[in-house]
Amino acid sequence: MEKMQTQLNSLATLLGEIIGQEISVVDIQPSANGRYFYIQAPIEGAPMLLHHYRGPFFVDMNPVDYDRLANGEISAKEYIESANWQVGYFWGGGSMVNGGYYQPMDILGNREEVRKYLRILACRGEFNASGYTPKESRCMSCPLEECSFSQFKAGSTENELSEYDPRRDLFYALLRRFEHAYPDYTLKGFNCYTKMPDDEVWITPISNYGSDDKHRFEVWVSANLIRRLLMHEVTPEDWDEYVSGFIFRIKKLYAEPIDVTPDGLRECFEEQRDETPHKKTGTIFTRILNTLRGYSR
């Protein structure tokens, strides 16, 4: 226990000095399941340094890494220097794409740019959580000479680390393929799930009562695929070609996924008419989403 505390104290201190942000020991945690569909479980050797919607920066790491540190198999310094750090945020809010994000960053070799990114990220996170923007006195006391988020300093996102999000490219490529094949239907909403193959896309019907839009489905893909994309392990050059090999399947409540067919798509919305809008929204589709999302609770 004492060795573990010493190791974690050392990790928090050294990491905080590198990134220019305070890291509390209690905010360094093993993570086997990730954080809902927002943040996927970290793999070995790739800890996640994230900004939390409540304010602090924290570290999620694979339980194997955590045990190695706790047991003294690797020192805090060695771990920091050898790790493939994933940096981003966990802000929640309902949407997988807007609620969580990370990407690989060289926190040692690109230290100053990472520090700048994290300072701005902290202010962005505070604004996202509460609507608060720093007052002039706070901005003037900040060591950043340029900041794209500040109202009181010049700055441009072009001079800061970018947040390219491959999930958006994946979704729109899937949307183009799906609407081309089934023009009477569309995709709306994007989530991930741990217990599904990487080459499958599950769709669940969404309520369409009171709307003249096309019948809509929510999209689910593998959490492992999302992690590989965000970690830049998969970097498609042609997204339309990339998604051409995916298998679309319909996922109904408590049923195994079935291949998409015109009849299968139509039946999804014929079933909707068997229930009132109130019952449908509050039962069938809520339960589908809760069943899928419950994987990491």
Side-chain angles (χ1 to χ4, degrees):
M1 185 67 180
E2 183 178 348
K3 179 186 290 186
M4 178 179 72
Q5 194 64 33
T6 299
Q7 284 280 75
L8 294 179
N9 283 336
S10 180
L11 179 64
T13 300
L14 292 174
L15 183 61
E17 291 173 353
I18 292 168
I19 66 173
Q21 297 287 338
E22 181 179 353
I23 299 291
S24 173
V25 171
V26 298
D27 290 325
I28 301 175
Q29 298 287 337
S31 176
N33 298 314
R35 295 178 181 257
Y36 300 96
F37 49 85
Y38 299 113
I39 300 294
Q40 292 65 54
I43 63 174
E44 291 181 42
M48 296 182 177
L49 170 63
L50 307 172
H51 183 262
H52 197 281
Y53 61 85
R54 291 180 177 172
F57 282 92
F58 66 96
V59 175
D60 277 356
M61 64 176 65
N62 186 278
V64 173
D65 289 355
Y66 190 87
D67 289 343
R68 291 182 66 211
L69 272 167
N71 296 332
E73 294 178 29
I74 186 172
S75 71
K77 183 176 184 295
E78 290 171 332
Y79 184 72
I80 290 173
E81 293 177 347
S82 63
N84 176 19
W85 287 94
Q86 307 299 308
V87 182
Y89 56 82
F90 166 52
W91 290 344
S95 164
M96 175 184 72
V97 174
N98 294 324
Y101 174 82
Y102 51 90
Q103 63 177 318
M105 286 191 185
D106 183 356
I107 66 172
L108 293 171
N110 201 17
R111 184 175 305 193
E112 292 308 314
E113 287 300 307
V114 171
R115 284 187 168 196
K116 180 180 181 180
Y117 172 78
L118 294 180
R119 284 187 179 275
I120 297 174
L121 184 65
C123 288
R124 288 171 51 205
E126 190 172 14
F127 175 77
N128 183 73
S130 66
Y132 172 80
T133 55
K135 296 180 179 179
E136 184 174 6
S137 59
R138 180 174 167 185
C139 280
M140 292 302 102
S141 65
C142 174
L144 295 183
E145 295 182 1
E146 295 183 350
C147 175
S148 61
F149 187 75
S150 173
Q151 306 175 55
F152 310 103
K153 293 183 178 181
S156 170
T157 55
E158 294 180 359
N159 299 324
E160 298 164 5
L161 293 176
S162 64
E163 287 180 352
Y164 166 62
D165 195 335
R167 296 172 299 184
R168 298 179 184 274
D169 287 327
L170 174 62
F171 175 82
Y172 286 115
L174 292 171
L175 176 65
R176 288 191 294 271
R177 180 184 162 193
F178 186 76
E179 287 190 337
H180 181 266
Y182 307 103
D184 292 332
Y185 304 90
T186 191
L187 304 177
K188 181 76 172 180
F190 195 25
N191 279 301
C192 68
Y193 180 51
T194 55
K195 299 176 182 178
M196 62 179 293
D198 287 358
D199 64 347
E200 291 189 5
V201 178
W202 293 358
I203 58 174
T204 58
I206 300 174
S207 168
N208 209 48
Y209 280 87
S211 172
D212 295 328
D213 295 336
K214 298 178 181 179
H215 289 304
R216 301 169 295 172
F217 289 88
E218 185 167 23
V219 179
W220 297 80
V221 298
S222 161
N224 182 58
L225 172 62
I226 292 297
R227 180 176 51 230
R228 295 181 67 203
L229 287 170
L230 289 174
M231 289 183 64
H232 300 177
E233 293 180 349
V234 176
T235 56
E237 294 184 4
D238 185 324
W239 285 95
D240 292 307
E241 179 181 352
Y242 177 67
V243 303
S244 65
F246 282 77
I247 302 169
F248 277 95
R249 311 196 77 186
I250 298 171
K251 180 68 173 76
K252 296 182 181 181
L253 183 64
Y254 305 134
E256 291 298 314
I258 60 174
D259 291 341
V260 171
T261 64
D263 287 343
L265 294 174
R266 184 172 58 254
E267 287 173 3
C268 287
F269 295 97
E270 288 177 349
E271 291 171 0
Q272 283 189 21
R273 291 195 293 270
D274 294 336
E275 296 197 358
T276 65
H278 172 73
K279 286 185 178 180
K280 172 184 55 56
T281 302
T283 57
I284 290 181
F285 297 101
T286 300
R287 292 201 303 270
I288 289 175
L289 297 183
N290 287 342
T291 298
L292 289 174
R293 288 171 178 165
Y295 72 94
S296 63
R297 292 180 187 272

